[in-house]
Amino acid sequence: EAGQKFAYPPLPWIGARFKFEIRELDGNKVLTKTIDNKLFQRGIVFMGSPEMADYTIEADVMTEGNRRKMSEIGLICQRYYIVLKGNAGKLQINSNLERIKQDTSFRLRPKAWYHLKARVDVNADGSGVVRAKAWLKSDPEPAAWTLEVPHKNAHRQGSPGLFGFAPQEVLCHIDNVKVTRNR
């Protein structure tokens, strides 16, 4: 929106500039998916090196809009996309290169903060499991993963990242991004 005060995301975050901005929301600084340029409705950000592996990524995420018009927002973990699809009411794990796509029902409420968490566990034989969970930020973390997708040839490494898709001019926000080494 014109006149909106913002700052650019960190320069080493590849793909973030002009697709995301740091804005103030409810007294807090958040990463907001921009909607000014229709060519940049989809934003993919990488925050590390492609050799990274064996980590968990998590963040707080929110879509604006209403129950019929929401954006998509998610994380990237070792080349897998973990996406909350607002309009479809799903949590999805996908990898375009491997043509993996699996989802489960997950109803989002607009203007509510959710916590999204993902990790990839790779076995010695190269198989693995992509795990994701999502829950309302105000609720305690569930013990079980919301979605677990086995993969015969799991990606062994890949940069952590963020994903936002605002096709209907609906803002989405990311906050409290954390990448930690798996134990």
Side-chain angles (χ1 to χ4, degrees):
E1 110 190 29
Q4 170 77 39
K5 289 185 179 182
F6 72 93
Y8 287 115
L11 193 54
W13 286 19
I14 297 176
R17 293 256 169 134
F18 308 112
K19 296 176 189 169
F20 288 89
E21 297 173 346
I22 297 170
R23 296 184 181 178
E24 191 164 312
L25 180 67
D26 300 327
N28 197 18
K29 296 208 185 311
V30 300
L31 191 65
T32 298
K33 174 70 193 81
T34 60
I35 55 175
D36 304 336
N37 188 330
K38 301 284 186 220
L39 294 174
F40 298 141
Q41 291 178 17
R42 180 173 283 112
I44 299 167
V45 175
F46 294 104
M47 307 175 306
S49 71
E51 298 83 26
M52 290 180 70
D54 198 29
Y55 59 84
T56 297
I57 182 170
E58 53 191 302
D60 297 328
V61 298
M62 178 179 62
T63 177
E64 293 188 3
N66 57 48
R67 65 186 181 97
R68 295 184 188 270
K69 186 176 175 182
M70 290 184 271
S71 55
E72 298 178 5
I73 192 160
L75 306 172
I76 301 169
C77 186
Q78 287 181 214
R79 299 189 173 113
Y80 296 95
Y81 286 66
I82 293 80
V83 182
L84 286 170
K85 301 175 89 51
N87 290 342
K90 296 177 188 253
L91 171 63
Q92 182 179 88
I93 293 175
N94 73 65
S95 174
N96 290 339
L97 297 174
E98 298 294 323
R99 300 203 190 291
I100 284 179
K101 184 165 94 173
Q102 191 168 332
D103 52 51
T104 188
S105 292
F106 190 92
R107 290 282 169 211
L108 268 76
R109 291 192 327 245
K111 299 180 181 111
W113 283 101
Y114 290 86
H115 194 80
L116 189 55
K117 185 174 186 176
R119 70 182 278 161
V120 179
D121 294 303
V122 182
N123 301 313
D125 68 358
S127 66
V129 179
V130 186
R131 293 180 166 89
K133 61 170 87 170
W135 67 94
L136 268 171
K137 181 182 173 184
S138 58
D139 291 348
E141 179 176 348
W145 292 95
T146 310
L147 185 57
E148 296 182 86
V149 178
H151 188 185
K152 192 168 46 174
N153 298 300
H155 298 299
R156 294 185 176 275
Q157 57 192 25
S159 173
L162 306 170
F163 173 81
F165 182 43
Q168 301 169 359
E169 298 185 356
V170 174
L171 294 174
C172 55
H173 311 281
I174 302 171
D175 198 12
N176 301 316
V177 177
K178 185 164 83 172
V179 178
T180 53
R181 170 121 352 253
N182 294 340
R183 294 185 180 99

